[in-house]
Amino acid sequence: MTAARFEFTPPVFPGHIESLREEVRAFLAEERASGALPRPNYVSMLVSLPFTKKLAERGWIGMTWPAEYGGHERTALERYAVTEELLAACAPIRAHWVADRQSAAVLLRFGTEEQKRKYLPRIAAGDWFFTPGLSEPDAGSDLASLRTSATKVEGGWRVQGTKIWNSNSHVAQYTLLLCRTEPAGEDRHHGLSRFIVDLSSPGIQIRPIINLAGEHDFNQLYFDDVFVPDENVVGELGNGWNQATTELAYERSGPERWMSSFRLLAELTEALGEDASPSACRELGALLAEMLALRQMSMSIAVMLEQGRAPNQEAAIVKDLGTCFEQAMVAKARDLIHEEGIELHGGARRLGEVLDNAQAWSICYTIRGGAKEIMRGVIARGLGLR
């Protein structure tokens, strides 16, 4: 058996992207000065509808999409640079995050012309948000074993089932729902389809899930005989698995897979200062070197996606390595704080607050977007080992 060849060719940022970075940093500085963006004491991604609108007005949502759909026809690397700056600042970009990162990509590639013209401009304007419609309570990361079903009726479909870990569905208007429209047979990937579902439809119940950090980030969605019109079928019936894996490549490979705890690293570096011990400098250097390698790999996938390729195995590698790095970084930061005798009160109070938030969040890093065991199965198949 011939193994797949994994490709990670790091691109070079064109010179004009530095000007774009400066533009984003200047905007963030203005927001901080006005009090709209206080210095964060957390690592989580928050929601701010006014902030999302400001980004939309600057053309920083839908950056790479065609202008005819409300986009700005910029490059994947330009979008990557803007994303890095927003994540480094812990900007409250959660509201539009899923729609901008992955839902729109599915619609651009598989959606009808009517769907593109209806949904994409409103996403780019910061008006409409999406939540994922993939995971289920009894399926976990084994997505193909889902039970949510859609039955054909006159003019559309009737949906029954439940989804879980739906990010921010309490503020979203739509979900891209993956459900079964035909029996699976021997191939569980067969008979899965995608639908755009209006979350205000009768029969939908949204129940909050409060996470370990005490934040309302996730929800569970219940679908009780929910009607979805035929025009909301995305792409071809039965092609849902292909759409889902394409979407997950966008979800798994971005800078958020290694930058979730960046604020902790920044606060730790500031607290250590110039008097850091040689051992602390070595630990910080090792963390930064690993982060740089992940960044190079992640950027290479952004370019491949822009080229219309499907780097599913490469995305799984970045997701696995990146989220394991994020998790390990929190533990190393905690150890360094203890070893260096940093007092988490007074001047380092913010570091202590960020550490507390990061420790609560880090448990989920290697689960969200697909558990690391699932990622390693994807990688193994790419290597021809399974």
Side-chain angles (χ1 to χ4, degrees), residues 42-203:
Y42 53 85
V43 299
S44 52
M45 194 182 293
L46 304 184
V47 170
S48 171
L49 303 187
F51 191 85
T52 282
K53 288 295 290 185
K54 290 177 183 178
L55 294 181
E57 290 165 1
R58 285 162 175 75
W60 294 338
I61 302 177
M63 289 184 66
T64 63
W65 312 346
E68 62 185 308
Y69 303 130
H72 305 280
E73 300 187 349
R74 304 187 80 157
T75 67
L77 290 181
E78 287 175 303
R79 182 185 183 277
Y80 201 98
V82 171
T83 302
E84 279 188 316
E85 295 299 327
L86 294 173
L87 289 172
C90 272
I93 55 179
R94 186 62 157 165
H96 64 276
W97 184 252
V98 169
D100 182 47
R101 177 182 67 181
Q102 62 199 74
S103 305
V106 172
L107 295 180
L108 277 168
R109 184 161 179 177
F110 301 101
T112 65
E113 188 64 22
E114 292 74 19
Q115 289 169 351
K116 295 173 188 177
R117 293 190 180 278
K118 178 178 179 178
Y119 296 101
L120 296 181
R122 299 297 296 273
I123 294 172
D127 294 329
W128 283 358
F129 314 130
F130 275 67
T131 185
L134 299 173
S135 300
E136 295 193 3
D138 297 324
S141 291
D142 184 13
L143 187 57
S145 67
L146 61 82
R147 297 180 183 177
T148 298
S149 63
T151 304
K152 189 71 181 79
V153 296
E154 184 177 355
W157 301 77
R158 290 285 178 183
V159 176
Q160 298 280 354
T162 182
K163 295 290 180 178
I164 201 168
W165 313 128
N166 302 98
S167 301
N168 247 42
S169 49
H170 54 296
V171 299
Q173 291 85 12
Y174 298 95
T175 182
L176 268 181
L177 192 71
L178 179 67
C179 53
R180 187 159 295 286
T181 50
E182 299 176 56
E186 295 183 2
D187 182 3
R188 296 185 305 159
H189 301 151
H190 171 79
L192 298 173
S193 303
R194 300 296 295 274
F195 297 86
I196 301 170
V197 180
D198 185 338
L199 293 176
S200 66
S201 302

Side-chain angles (χ1 to χ4, degrees), residues 277-300:
S277 69
S279 62
C281 290
R282 284 194 297 270
E283 289 288 346
L284 282 177
L287 289 171
L288 291 171
E290 189 171 354
M291 180 178 285
L292 179 60
L294 288 164
R295 180 176 186 260
Q296 297 287 74
M297 295 168 72
S298 177
M299 285 192 299
S300 72

